[in-house]
Amino acid sequence: MTDITAYLKPGSHLLKELDETPEDWLALIELSAILKQQKKSGTEQQYLRGRNIVLIFEKTSTRTRCAFEVAAADQGAATTYLDPQSSQMGHKESISDTAHVLGRFYDAIEFRGSEQNNVEILARDSGVPVWNGLTADWHPTQMLADSLTMLEHSPGRSFSDITYSFVGDARYNMGRSLLINGAMLGCDVRIVAPKELWPEDEVIEAAKAVAEQTGAKVTVTDDIEAVVGSDFVHADVWVSMGEAKEVWAQRIEALMPYRVDENLMELAGGNAKFMHCLPAFHDLNTTVGQQIFEEYGLDGIEVSDEVFSGPRSVVFDQAENRLHTIKAAMVRSLGRI
Ligand code: CP
Ligand code: NVA
């Protein structure tokens, strides 16, 4: 049994990638692989026995919520789920007051919502570890899953040998997080988007500064040819949770040249794999997918069904890894050997 003592950081938060050192970030991915192996081999140790964890979701979720709940159950912890409507937080009680209260009840807090500042306030005022389950700015637990998945699909290689691209709306959580994540892990990371959908300059500068320490190569460009030579092509929805549905028309116009189809995957390279944090619009089997088809004639939005459902797609391996990596974040903060 691997001794995980060196991976524990009692009391640590997971708020955004830039708060981490590259070494700590890599260690979290290593811990994820260890915990995944334990679960798969039926030798899982419970490092979170007796812990109580509250999961606050101001925005909806399938993977993140389920990953936190299953990881907690696997590890012997109990969870309380607060849905977008059923707490006083933000409406009748400030985030800070809520943080003080929840810190008296719980050993840790997960938060998903729009404002990065709110997750930062919870961390500042609760006195317990806080994990960011997605804000408009960052999606750090997703990055751990994406990175573990890329490593697993690159046998015999390390992150410094991996090239990945993100195509789409790069000014939102996924584009920004994938940029910083690649810089931290020493990857060759290319963010490919129309200029108006690039991350802010300060995020690009921060990625370049990290890349100088790690040897990563970071590129932000509007040239779709930048995907050439990618081992992995990442996509995300074109309109994120919390955005007005009126932005669809302009987003579709801006992002059509960046839609992932077989031609784009061929351009990326014969062995390129497709990744997506999910949920994805790749067919007409969703309400939104159907509406977009009726209004704009698009069958599949950010990715064609051929790519999503084809042999290059590793999206369900990626989704499974949300469980193992979120478990690692929880164990790092709260684990008892
Ligand atoms: N990828 C992701 O965060 O999925 P959910 O919105 O379902 O949690
Ligand atoms: N950018 C997407 C990611 C969903 C996991 C959103 O924020 O809705």
Side-chain angles (χ1 to χ4, degrees):
M1 185 58 54
T2 311
D3 178 4
I4 65 153
T5 310
Y7 294 100
L8 303 184
K9 278 182 67 186
S12 57
H13 302 296
L14 177 52
L15 304 180
K16 59 181 184 295
E17 300 82 355
L18 282 167
D19 295 341
E20 305 280 330
T21 64
E23 294 73 28
D24 284 350
W25 197 236
L26 188 60
L28 258 178
I29 298 162
E30 286 173 8
L31 178 59
S32 307
I34 293 168
L35 296 175
K36 179 172 182 176
Q37 201 279 331
Q38 279 190 8
K39 181 167 168 114
K40 298 270 177 193
S41 62
T43 59
E44 182 152 2
Q45 304 291 298
Q46 291 194 320
Y47 302 110
L48 301 180
R49 270 191 314 278
R51 302 295 202 178
N52 287 294
I53 294 163
V54 62
L55 310 175
I56 305 172
F57 281 83
E58 286 184 1
K59 289 179 170 179
T60 52
S61 167
T62 299
R63 279 144 290 271
T64 309
R65 174 187 177 183
C66 296
F68 271 99
E69 293 203 6
V70 174
D74 281 350
Q75 284 289 314
T79 52
T80 303
Y81 172 68
L82 292 180
D83 72 23
Q85 276 84 41
S86 70
S87 85
Q88 316 283 22
M89 187 166 127
H91 318 285
K92 287 172 63 184
E93 191 161 32
S94 69
I95 308 294
S96 174
D97 289 355
T98 308
H100 282 101
V101 173
L102 294 179
R104 303 284 182 109
F105 282 54
Y106 292 97
D107 299 299
I109 300 171
E110 179 279 350
F111 174 82
R112 165 175 287 202
S114 291
E115 301 290 327
Q116 181 68 21
N117 194 38
N118 287 348
V119 80
E120 308 269 351
I121 293 171
L122 287 168
R124 187 193 68 198
D125 292 345
S126 66
V128 297
V130 174
W131 306 300
N132 176 357
L134 174 146
T135 61
D137 290 349
W138 307 109
H139 200 358
T141 62
Q142 181 75 49
M143 291 308 106
L144 297 172
D146 291 11
S147 302
L148 179 62
T149 309
M150 289 191 282
L151 202 59
E152 290 173 339
H153 282 278
S154 308
R157 297 160 75 193
S158 59
F159 285 114
S160 58
D161 308 316
I162 292 176
T163 297
Y164 71 81
S165 302
F166 170 83
V167 289
D169 176 11
R171 103 225 112 89
Y172 224 74
N173 41 30
M174 282 300 296
R176 293 162 50 107
S177 278
L178 280 166
L179 173 60
I180 300 295
N181 178 67
M184 292 188 49
L185 294 173
C187 300
D188 179 343
V189 55
R190 299 135 184 217
I191 302 299
V192 188
K195 281 199 177 65
E196 68 271 23
L197 298 176
W198 285 6
E200 294 92 326
D201 289 345
E202 69 222 40
V203 175
I204 298 173
E205 291 313 313
K208 287 184 179 159
V210 174
E212 274 182 25
Q213 295 170 47
T214 63
K217 189 162 176 236
V218 301
T219 306
V220 180
T221 178
D222 59 1
D223 182 1
I224 195 64
E225 293 283 329
V227 302
V228 172
S230 297
D231 301 305
F232 301 91
V233 175
H234 293 251
D236 184 19
V237 290
W238 287 354
V239 175
S240 285
M241 289 184 278
E243 293 199 273
K245 55 178 201 317
E246 287 67 36
V247 301
W248 269 111
Q250 71 200 59
R251 216 48 74 65
I252 288 172
E253 194 186 338
L255 287 172
M256 271 310 284
Y258 301 86
R259 179 173 191 260
V260 181
D261 58 11
E262 285 293 337
N263 290 337
L264 189 143
M265 292 305 293
E266 274 309 303
L267 183 65
N271 294 320
K273 303 267 191 321
F274 174 70
M275 297 183 67
H276 193 304
C277 57
L278 308 183
F281 296 121
H282 60 94
D283 59 20
L284 302 183
N285 298 326
T286 62
T287 318
V288 174
Q290 187 65 44
Q291 279 164 359
I292 297 295
F293 177 69
E294 278 158 20
E295 210 164 325
Y296 302 96
L298 269 181
D299 179 358
I301 307 175
E302 70 272 10
V303 56
S304 69
D305 193 45
E306 205 182 0
V307 170
F308 184 92
S309 305
R312 290 162 173 273
S313 177
V314 297
V315 297
F316 297 119
D317 294 341
Q318 184 182 0
E320 178 192 328
N321 281 336
R322 300 300 308 287
L323 169 62
H324 309 296
T325 48
I326 278 174
K327 188 181 286 176
M330 297 166 91
V331 167
R332 180 179 79 157
S333 305
L334 286 184
R336 284 189 284 232
I337 303 292

